[in-house]
């Protein structure tokens, strides 16, 4: 049996847990068209059932907090190659990654999971405000539009809060941290998964183009560090749409597995197992 331990990363409300709920349902149901089929599970099935029940009702999937991080393993078989593997998917909370960035500390268990064989599925959310800052946002004292520099400003300087650092900066830093001790420096497969893809798919851009447009710092980092990260980009909508009003009613009329969206390698479809299959593949 080939063992792969893929880790799901992402800051708070990035879509990690919703994806895990949809993934569990799709694999457990053994639906036609999926790349992987379930053979058995290990770990906390109660946790899986809880998040899947919310997902099936088109409700917000409960967030994962540091105090109740859960770890489950899906024993699956690839129907295309008949290869079997164990997908260990620790659903670490977003706050866990905040601590790594802001406090420069993390649990030994996280280090062990990150150093295990396998790839990384890193989530970013397309449906939230851009938190980037630019030099163009700053008003300099000699700026004519600011009154010729006569206003020196009266605001008191505020203490730096690492948790308010722009998200793409935190992502780049986390990806760099994962390549230095106590983490093993090695070439990894990495999927940048853009959740809530339903809100941007009509823009006519690919997931890679969306990252280049919305997170240029992250795109530049990945483009210039191919020796440590082999990257693919994926657009995912684990719910398929907004969870309110007419949109929710429309989603409830569909079969659960048919409402999910996965934009992978230029194609749009419902198979959200494709990124994991690529992470676990022995070849291209």
């Amino acid at each position: 049996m080939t063992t792969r331990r893929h880790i799901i990363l992402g800051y708070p409300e990035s879509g990690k847990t919703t994806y895990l709920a949809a993934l569990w349902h799709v694999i457990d149901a053994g639906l036609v068209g999926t790349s992987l089929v379930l053979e058995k599970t290990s770990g906390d099935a109660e946790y899986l059932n809880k998040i899947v029940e919310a997902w099936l009702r088109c409700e917000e999937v409960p967030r994962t907090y540091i105090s109740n991080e859960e770890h489950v393993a899906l024993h699956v078989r690839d129907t295309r190659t008949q290869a079997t593997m164990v997908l260990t998917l620790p659903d670490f909370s977003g706050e866990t990654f905040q601590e790594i960035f802001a406090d420069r500390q993390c649990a030994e268990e996280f280090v062990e999971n990150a150093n295990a064989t396998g790839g990384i599925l890193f989530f970013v959310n397309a449906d939230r405000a851009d938190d980037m800052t630019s030099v163009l946002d700053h008003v300099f004292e000699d700026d004519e539009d600011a009154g010729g520099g006569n206003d020196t400003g009266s605001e008191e300087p505020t203490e730096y809060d690492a948790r308010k650092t722009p998200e793409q900066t935190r992502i780049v830093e986390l990806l760099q941290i994962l390549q230095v001790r106590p983490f093993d420096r090695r070439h990894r497969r990495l999927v940048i998964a853009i959740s809530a893809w339903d809100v941007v798919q009509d823009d006519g851009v690919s997931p890679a183009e969306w990252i280049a447009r919305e997170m240029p710092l992250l795109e530049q980092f990945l483009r210039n560090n191919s020796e440590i990260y082999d990257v693919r980009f994926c657009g995912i909508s684990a719910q398929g749409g907004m969870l309110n009003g007419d949109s929710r009613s429309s989603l409830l009329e569909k079969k659960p597995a048919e409402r999910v969206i996965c934009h992978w390698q230029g194609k749009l479809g419902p198979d959200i197992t494709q990124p994991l299959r690529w992470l676990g593949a022995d070849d291209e």
Side-chain angles (χ1 to χ4, degrees), residues 12-273:
E13 301 180 17
S14 59
K16 304 182 304 298
T17 307
T18 305
Y19 173 79
L20 185 57
L23 177 69
W24 162 247
H25 172 76
V26 168
I27 293 180
D28 184 43
L31 300 173
V32 176
T34 60
S35 302
L36 306 175
V37 294
L38 181 72
E39 296 195 328
K40 67 176 182 177
T41 66
S42 58
D44 192 347
E46 182 179 351
Y47 166 71
L48 279 173
N49 292 331
K50 180 181 179 180
I51 62 175
V52 170
E53 286 173 4
W55 179 80
L56 290 171
R57 295 191 299 264
C58 289
E59 298 175 353
E60 293 289 343
V61 175
R63 289 181 58 198
T64 307
Y65 294 93
I66 293 177
S67 60
N68 64 346
E69 289 174 346
E70 303 295 347
H71 307 276
V72 295
L74 307 181
H75 299 245
V76 300
R77 176 171 51 85
D78 190 328
T79 57
R80 299 179 182 179
T81 65
Q82 299 305 313
T84 59
M85 57 181 139
V86 180
L87 302 174
T88 303
L89 299 165
D91 189 20
F92 291 109
S93 68
E95 285 78 6
T96 296
F97 311 123
Q98 293 277 41
E99 285 193 348
I100 295 174
F101 175 80
D103 304 327
R104 288 301 196 265
Q105 62 181 15
C106 66
E108 291 184 7
E109 183 181 13
F110 177 78
V111 176
E112 293 174 359
N113 277 278
N115 284 342
T117 302
I120 299 173
L121 189 62
F122 205 122
F123 277 85
V124 299
N125 193 333
D127 190 25
R128 60 182 173 193
D130 185 0
D131 63 355
M132 287 193 302
T133 58
S134 166
V135 67
L136 299 178
D137 299 324
H138 181 75
V139 178
F140 295 94
E141 293 184 6
D142 59 352
D143 193 327
E144 293 181 0
D145 294 333
N150 294 324
D151 184 3
T152 59
S154 59
E155 293 185 4
E156 293 293 329
T158 57
E159 184 177 352
Y160 171 67
D161 184 352
R163 287 171 171 77
K164 294 182 179 179
T165 303
E167 183 178 18
Q168 63 172 320
T169 303
R170 286 180 277 134
I171 293 173
V172 169
E173 178 66 2
L174 181 55
L175 292 174
Q176 292 183 106
I177 288 174
L178 291 174
Q179 294 288 348
V180 297
R181 297 182 62 184
F183 300 99
D184 296 336
R185 181 179 177 84
R186 59 186 173 85
H187 189 264
R188 299 170 180 266
R189 287 195 172 189
L190 167 68
V191 173
I192 301 295
I194 307 164
S195 67
W197 187 250
D198 56 284
V199 304
V200 297
Q201 64 175 338
D202 290 339
D203 289 355
V205 297
S206 68
E209 291 169 339
W210 187 90
I211 289 293
R213 184 184 73 187
E214 302 294 334
M215 294 187 166
L217 175 65
L218 174 60
E219 189 274 336
Q220 292 170 32
F221 169 79
L222 295 173
R223 178 160 39 88
N224 289 283
N225 286 276
S226 58
E227 74 280 3
I228 54 177
Y229 288 113
D230 184 4
V231 187
R232 297 291 185 275
F233 301 91
C234 181
I236 291 177
S237 177
Q239 284 288 14
M242 304 296 291
L243 302 183
N244 51 42
D246 293 339
S247 176
R248 181 170 183 266
S249 299
S250 177
L251 291 175
L252 287 170
E253 293 176 357
K254 300 179 181 179
K255 293 181 180 180
E258 293 179 355
R259 66 177 189 243
V260 299
I261 299 170
C262 181
H263 191 296
W264 176 254
Q265 299 294 78
K267 298 180 180 179
L268 199 64
D271 186 2
I272 59 174
T273 69

